[in-house]
Amino acid sequence: MELGIGIGWRPEIADEVEALTGIDWVEAVAENLCAAHLPDSLVRLRERGVRVVPHGVALGLGGADRPDPVRLASLAARAELLGAPLVTEHIAFVRAGGPLTASPKLEAGHLLPVPRTWDALDVLCENVQIAQDSLPVPLALENIAALITWPGEELTEGQFLAELVERTGVRLLIDVANLHTNHVNLGQDPAKALDELPVEAIAYVHVAGGVERNGVWHDTHAHPVTAPVLQVLAELRSRVDPPGVLLERDDAFPPAEELAGELDAIRATLRRAASPAETRPSTRDAARGGDGDNAGDGGGDGDRAPAAPVPAGTRDRTAVAQTALLSALVAGTPAPEGFDHRRLRVQSRALAAKRADVVAKVAPELPEILGDGYRAAFLAYAGSRPMSGGYRRDALDFAEHVLIAGGPADPVARRRLTYWWQDRSGARPPRRTTRLVRAARAALVGK
């Protein structure tokens, strides 16, 4: 199915996205959408014929546990609400611990790489097939950016993706910015990865910006797309005509004209890289169904073989390895053997910084109340308190931690933080009268 040129829809740039010309489709983060009610902007886009693809970030299909049925049902509901042609997720793990390791559950709050081993592949393939059976439309999986690599890997990224597609029939979402990130950070050749992966399985392509600091490339989605990333896009286009290409931007949103300029640069790159004879394969005519529109026919995987059971002990080994790594990153336990300790520290700081940024977004009152001291206080908290639930729970736990420690020093800020925490942490939401009294009291103490 041909998608065309798209952009990531985010609430902060909803008006700009609606105003852009030449946009064929958008992608929205699935977990940020209410299953019962779409944002008005997405409703208007759909009425104009713009397709919307839900992009999941929380399934953790590369994790040791089987996919959470509740999360799968939620993703399926969003796909049906949007009338989406497919849904997408990541080849990553996002949590570890729990029953398989008899240890507390840990949340990364971010996408972490799975080891490219046969064990990890077995677990991933079974998880993918469970997900495919639960979704009403086809699934495509994205390669992620990495700051760290696992010791003892047995496959290259391209080989790992090719084997995944061969076993499951899943489609691929290739992020060329992530290929560039892995080139800078891990020395992996994007051209080799593109040569090894099954380009006919590509559903669409991501393009995003980042920045290099101290020899490490950070896939920020908050900076302009760079020339090296566009060069990887050109490498991909010289091999295949992708059904869709999408610009991602998640923070530090620029004016609409800058977004339009980046989209124009993407279009120009695709035009220049296209072979005049188009002798390379096109994913629009590829073997997955042959009719070029198979993405809309249910799960799209009715002819694949049943999932082979994961060999005994494989999930347990995967769980132990992933828990040890995540614990080192978020709980300060010793680094597992074979990892680059410097890179683990970089990854650990990146996870804590992301927690601070996301909590500030989901609970904007916290940086407002704590002022310039918010970030330092949160990073100190994150260094000793791993995240075990979602970001909203993390915000409450942080506020409680500050209050128990006797902060903030300013009595007015302390009262405001206390009221904020009480309003959100009770067994039930406070009644309207209580909220009005607290709001009036907060207004008085703020004077």
Side-chain angles (χ1 to χ4, degrees):
M1 183 196 68
E2 184 171 352
L3 290 168
I5 297 295
I7 189 169
W9 181 91
R10 304 293 183 266
E12 298 88 340
I13 52 170
D15 292 342
E16 288 82 354
V17 169
E18 285 190 66
L20 287 170
T21 59
I23 296 299
D24 303 304
W25 63 293
V26 298
E27 179 191 78
V29 177
E31 287 80 2
N32 292 346
L33 298 177
C34 175
H37 176 71
L38 286 178
D40 291 341
S41 173
L42 287 181
V43 172
R44 289 191 293 269
L45 286 169
R46 290 190 64 216
E47 289 173 348
R48 283 166 38 188
V50 176
R51 288 190 174 102
V52 182
V53 172
H55 185 52
V57 298
L59 270 184
L61 292 174
D65 291 321
R66 290 177 174 83
D68 181 353
V70 175
R71 293 181 188 276
L72 280 173
S74 178
L75 186 57
R78 283 153 178 77
E80 291 180 330
L81 178 68
L82 293 165
L86 77 164
V87 297
T88 58
E89 248 288 352
H90 298 82
I91 301 170
F93 78 100
V94 297
R95 61 188 63 87
L100 285 177
T101 56
S103 63
K105 199 79 164 178
L106 297 173
E107 292 280 343
H110 193 53
L111 306 165
L112 292 175
V114 300
R116 297 190 194 109
T117 62
W118 295 109
D119 269 6
L121 183 65
D122 288 340
V123 171
L124 174 64
C125 287
E126 185 176 73
N127 288 351
V128 167
Q129 294 196 338
I130 291 170
Q132 287 171 317
D133 291 341
S134 302
L135 295 170
V137 293
L139 172 67
L141 294 181
E142 179 180 355
N143 59 302
I144 72 164
L147 291 172
I148 56 176
T149 186
W150 288 76
E153 292 195 318
E154 299 164 322
L155 299 157
T156 66
E157 181 163 31
Q159 291 168 342
F160 193 84
L161 294 177
E163 188 71 23
L164 172 65
V165 170
E166 177 67 24
R167 292 194 195 184
T168 67
V170 75
R171 305 186 75 189
L172 296 176
L173 192 182
I174 295 301
D175 190 314
V176 294
N178 291 349
L179 290 178
H180 173 68
T181 301
N182 294 346
H183 171 62
V184 176
N185 294 347
L186 309 176
Q188 298 171 359
D189 182 3
K192 180 181 180 183
L194 291 172
D195 285 340
E196 290 177 339
L197 65 82
V199 293
E200 72 279 358
I202 294 176
Y204 62 89
V205 175
H206 272 174
V207 183
V211 64
E212 187 172 347
R213 299 191 190 101
N214 301 319
V216 175
W217 186 267
H218 296 268
D219 180 45
T220 63
H221 293 194
H223 292 80
V225 176
T226 62
V229 170
L230 291 176
Q231 181 55 44
V232 180
L233 176 63
E235 286 276 0
L236 184 147
R237 179 63 186 90
S238 71
R239 291 162 172 77
V240 70
D241 183 10
V245 179
L246 180 129
L247 172 66
E248 280 191 299
R249 187 76 176 228
D250 292 322
D251 207 351
F253 299 102
E257 56 268 23
E258 290 187 28
L259 292 173
E262 292 200 77
L263 288 164
D264 286 342
I266 288 170
R267 293 185 183 98
T269 299
L270 294 171
R271 285 196 301 270
R272 287 194 299 267
S275 167
E278 287 292 357
T279 56
R280 299 279 187 172
S282 169
T283 54
R284 298 173 186 144
D285 307 316
R288 287 182 52 77
D291 62 0
D293 199 32
N294 59 306
D297 301 326
D301 297 296
D303 57 349
R304 61 175 168 79
V310 172
T314 301
R315 284 191 183 272
D316 293 336
R317 290 193 299 272
T318 302
V320 168
Q322 292 181 346
T323 302
L325 173 60
L326 185 51
S327 182
L329 292 172
V330 302
T333 57
E337 185 178 354
F339 281 93
D340 182 325
H341 288 214
R342 185 181 70 86
R343 284 300 175 87
L344 287 184
R345 288 193 296 271
V346 173
Q347 180 70 82
S348 180
R349 289 194 296 269
L351 291 177
K354 181 177 176 63
R355 277 177 72 183
D357 291 342
V358 178
V359 166
K361 285 184 176 181
V362 301
E365 301 88 350
L366 293 179
E368 178 191 339
I369 293 169
L370 298 176
D372 293 340
Y374 163 75
R375 192 168 188 84
F378 189 91
L379 293 178
Y381 154 83
S384 60
R385 300 294 183 93
M387 187 163 65
S388 57
Y391 283 110
R392 297 187 189 281
R393 179 74 256 170
D394 205 23
L396 283 170
D397 290 347
F398 167 62
E400 183 178 17
H401 172 78
V402 171
L403 291 169
I404 290 174
D410 175 45
V412 173
R414 180 169 175 80
R415 284 193 291 271
R416 290 184 64 196
L417 185 62
T418 300
Y419 299 149
W420 181 89
W421 180 82
Q422 288 174 340
D423 282 348
R424 291 157 180 79
S425 63
R428 65 184 65 181
R431 293 182 179 180
R432 182 172 181 272
T433 303
T434 304
R435 293 199 305 271
L436 290 173
V437 169
R438 288 178 180 168
R441 190 184 305 157
L444 287 173
V445 298
K447 290 182 178 179

